[in-house]
């Protein structure tokens, strides 16, 4: 089965063709980094306008790269939420128009379910069901129990900024540009993670599996007020200290969830899953505690349409169909088991 996937939940316009939910024949992404970099973050209105300009060329490119036409497509999957509602509507309306014109079955996909299905596009082995997932991105940070296809239980989530958002905001304070997470990761490799004192995040037992990154963000802001924006080794030390604090709480909470649930497999997903320190720390924790760790390649961690098509494939095979009045939902909740 060939599924055409579309994604426009934030600032990436993406389309892909995936065969049988596991083989990406094409995966085209039009980035908007150049549009939003001057503002230090995504401007929703500009994102929506750029999606409108990009969506048809991106779909055409995905079909061409896969060596197929719309006549060969068996179904269409599109992100329906969560995300920026104006951005979401671009891919959603495009997908509905194509489904109507071609008489193709359509399914809407939760963006986070797409991230959790990206691992299927990697070579085996894949995480067994049930397993835990640490999903870390610019908009979401959650620990999720994955009981099966579309059967997801959120055990904990961030109470304020997502981890990726904290990375970008700290990078903006440091004048590193947007997106800043990659720059912090690069600088941190040459820094001392104990060089700048940072708070231990969400240490109290009553916080469960929830996260909060406002405290470490404030700690960086206060340090900058006292010392100014550093350069050279001091900048590397600050980046390393901030990053180590975020990674520590992500891994600590995941280890606790593994111990409490008795599950023996964890997958890491979302844009921040590309962070080298987080990947290494979770693998080290798995080796120490005895749980298996599954992490997509960095290119599969960021927003893409192949993951949406892969998730959509399982919905189509199960007989799920979305009506043509399907709407975008900016704050769409995770599907329940």
């Amino acid at each position: 089965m060939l599924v055409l996937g579309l994604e426009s939940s934030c600032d990436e316009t993406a389309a892909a063709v995936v065969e049988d939910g596991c083989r990406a024949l094409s995966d085209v992404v039009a980035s908007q980094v150049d549009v939003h970099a001057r503002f230090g973050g995504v401007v929703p209105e500009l994102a929506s306008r750029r999606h409108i300009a990009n969506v048809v060329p991106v779909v055409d490119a995905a079909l061409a790269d896969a060596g197929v036409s719309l006549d060969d497509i068996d179904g269409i999957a599109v992100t329906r939420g969560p995300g920026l509602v104006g951005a979401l509507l671009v891919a959603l309306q495009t997908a509905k128009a194509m489904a109507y014109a071609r008489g193709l079955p359509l399914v809407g996909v939760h963006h986070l379910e797409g991230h959790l299905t990206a691992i299927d596009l990697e070579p085996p082995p894949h995480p067994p069901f049930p397993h835990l997932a640490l999903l870390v991105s610019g908009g979401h940070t959650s620990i999720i129990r994955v009981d099966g296809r579309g059967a997801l239980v959120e055990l904990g989530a961030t109470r304020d900024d997502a981890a990726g958002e904290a990375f970008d905001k700290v990078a903006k304070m440091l004048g590193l540009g947007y997106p800043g997470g990659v720059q912090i990761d690069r600088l941190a490799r040459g820094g001392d993670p104990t060089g700048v004192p940072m708070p231990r995040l969400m240490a109290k037992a009553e916080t469960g599996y929830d996260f909060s990154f406002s405290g470490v963000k404030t700690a960086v802001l206060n340090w900058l007020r006292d010392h100014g924006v550093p350069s050279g080794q001091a900048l590397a030390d600050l980046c390393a200290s901030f990053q180590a604090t975020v990674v520590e709480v992500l891994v600590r909470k995941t280890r606790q969830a593994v111990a409490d649930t008795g599950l023996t497999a964890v997958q890491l997903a979302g844009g921040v899953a590309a962070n080298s320190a987080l990947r290494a720390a979770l693998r080290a924790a798995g080796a120490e505690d005895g749980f298996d760790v599954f992490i997509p390649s960095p290119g599969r961690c960021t927003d893409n349409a192949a993951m949406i098509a892969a998730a959509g494939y399982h919905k189509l095979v199960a007989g799920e169909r979305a009506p043509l009045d399907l709407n975008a939902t900016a704050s769409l909740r995770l599907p329940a088991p």
Side-chain angles (χ1 to χ4, degrees), residues 95-117:
K96 291 197 295 184
M98 287 192 294
Y100 174 74
R102 292 284 178 155
L104 290 170
L106 172 73
V107 288
V109 175
H110 193 291
H111 182 75
L112 302 191
E113 190 176 352
H115 275 303
L116 296 175
T117 312

Side-chain angles (χ1 to χ4, degrees), residues 131-157:
H131 65 267
L132 286 178
L134 174 62
L135 199 154
V136 195
S137 70
H140 305 87
T141 300
S142 303
I143 294 177
I144 299 166
R145 193 181 75 229
V146 184
D147 292 328
R149 300 292 179 188
L152 311 174
V153 179
E154 189 173 69
L155 303 181

Side-chain angles (χ1 to χ4, degrees), residues 135-327:
L135 199 154
V136 195
S137 70
H140 305 87
T141 300
S142 303
I143 294 177
I144 299 166
R145 193 181 75 229
V146 184
D147 292 328
R149 300 292 179 188
L152 311 174
V153 179
E154 189 173 69
L155 303 181
T158 183
R159 298 182 178 183
D160 41 56
D161 290 349
E165 186 179 1
F167 269 93
D168 286 339
K169 288 180 176 178
V170 168
K172 187 175 182 179
M173 294 178 202
L174 298 174
L176 298 179
Y178 173 84
V182 175
Q183 299 300 326
I184 289 177
D185 189 13
R186 178 182 61 82
L187 289 166
R189 292 170 194 167
D192 178 2
T194 64
V196 177
M198 291 284 164
R200 189 166 188 263
L201 303 181
M202 301 290 279
K204 295 180 180 179
E206 61 265 25
T207 60
Y209 308 123
D210 284 350
F211 301 94
S212 171
F213 299 101
S214 60
V216 68
K217 188 177 63 177
T218 301
V220 172
L221 179 61
N222 290 336
W223 191 92
L224 292 175
R225 284 174 177 166
D226 293 337
H227 300 87
V229 177
S231 60
Q233 187 60 49
L235 176 60
D237 291 348
L238 180 58
C239 289
S241 300
F242 163 76
Q243 178 171 273
T245 301
V246 173
V247 168
E248 188 277 333
V249 70
L250 290 170
V251 174
R252 170 165 39 91
K253 296 272 185 173
T254 303
R255 295 175 87 162
Q256 187 60 54
V258 169
D260 292 346
T261 62
L263 296 175
T264 58
V266 174
Q267 73 153 306
L268 179 61
V272 183
N275 180 274
S276 62
L278 179 57
R279 295 167 79 92
L282 190 60
R283 285 190 174 113
E288 184 175 339
D289 292 0
F291 60 86
D292 296 322
V293 176
F294 300 84
I295 308 176
S297 57
R300 292 279 179 232
C301 295
T302 54
D303 290 353
N304 63 85
M307 67 183 193
I308 301 302
Y313 162 80
H314 297 286
K315 296 179 181 296
L316 290 164
V317 167
E320 184 175 329
R321 300 294 184 267
L324 290 176
D325 63 356
L326 178 69
N327 204 358

